[in-house]
C-alpha cells in the first residue's frame, strides 16, 4: 500500500472510531461532520437508516461511555482515488456484528457514505 493509500485508510478508520465515540454521537453537529449528506445504512436489524433517522437515535445516548462498542479486526482498502472501504468486527454489549462502511473524500474531508452491519453468532 502506498503512503497516500495508508493515509486515506487511516483517515477513514479515524472517522469510524469517532462515530463510535459516545461524546461524538451525542452531538448532532459532530455526527454531521462525519456523515455524507447522502449517507445511508442498512443496519444489523435490517432497518434502512438515513441521516435524519440516525441523528434521532445517536443523540439519545445510544452508546454509553460506561460500555463503549468494542472494535477489532479493522481493515481497509482504497477502492478508487478518494474512496475507502472499511470492515471490522464490533461487539456492543454482546450484540456482535461484522460492519462495513464506505468513506469518500469530499471538499470538507473524509465522510462516511454508506454503512452496513450483519449480526453474527
Amino acid at each position: 500500500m502506498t503512503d497516500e493509500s495508508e493515509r486515506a485508510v487511516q483517515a477513514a478508520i479515524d472517522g469510524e472510531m469517532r462515530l463510535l465515540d459516545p461524546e461524538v454521537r451525542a452531538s448532532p453537529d459532530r455526527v454531521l461532520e462525519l456523515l455524507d449528506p447522502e449517507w445511508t445504512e442498512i443496519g444489523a436489524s435490517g432497518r434502512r437508516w438515513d441521516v435524519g433517522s440516525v441523528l434521532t437515535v445517536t443523540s439519545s445516548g445510544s452508546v454509553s461511555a460506561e460500555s463503549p462498542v468494542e472494535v477489532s479486526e479493522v481493515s481497509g482498502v482504497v477502492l478508487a482515488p478518494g474512496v475507502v472501504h472499511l470492515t471490522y468486527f464490533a461487539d456492543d454489549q454482546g450484540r456482535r456484528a461484522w460492519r462495513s462502511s464506505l468513506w469518500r473524500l469530499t471538499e470538507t474531508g473524509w465522510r462516511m457514505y454508506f454503512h452496513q452491519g450483519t449480526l453474527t453468532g
Side-chain angles (χ1 to χ4, degrees), residues 8-20 34-36 39-42 71 73-79 82-90 97-105 110-118:
V9 168
Q10 190 59 54
I13 291 170
D14 292 346
E16 192 85 39
M17 295 306 109
R18 285 196 311 273
L19 281 170
L20 292 172
L34 295 166
L35 296 183
D36 191 276
W39 177 85
T40 60
E41 174 179 335
I42 300 170
V71 174
E73 300 185 51
V74 179
S75 132
V77 64
V78 174
L79 297 178
V83 179
V84 171
H85 178 227
L86 294 181
T87 58
Y88 61 96
F89 187 78
W98 282 105
R99 303 247 168 218
S100 174
S101 58
L102 293 174
W103 287 78
R104 68 180 177 180
L105 185 58
W110 286 94
R111 298 175 91 170
M112 184 188 287
Y113 177 76
F114 177 78
H115 186 81
Q116 182 166 0
T118 303

Side-chain angles (χ1 to χ4, degrees), residues 5 8 13 22-23 28 30 32 35 39-40 42 52 54 60-61 63 67 69-70 77 84 87 106-108 112 114:
S5 292
I13 291 170
E23 287 184 27
R30 291 175 74 185
L32 287 173
L35 296 183
W39 177 85
T40 60
I42 300 170
V54 83
S60 70
V63 174
S67 54
V69 176
E70 295 177 28
V77 64
V84 171
T87 58
T106 69
E107 293 177 1
T108 59
M112 184 188 287
F114 177 78

Side-chain angles (χ1 to χ4, degrees), residues 40-55:
T40 60
E41 174 179 335
I42 300 170
S45 65
R47 180 176 175 184
R48 184 176 166 97
W49 299 85
D50 61 17
V51 173
S53 61
V54 83
L55 285 177

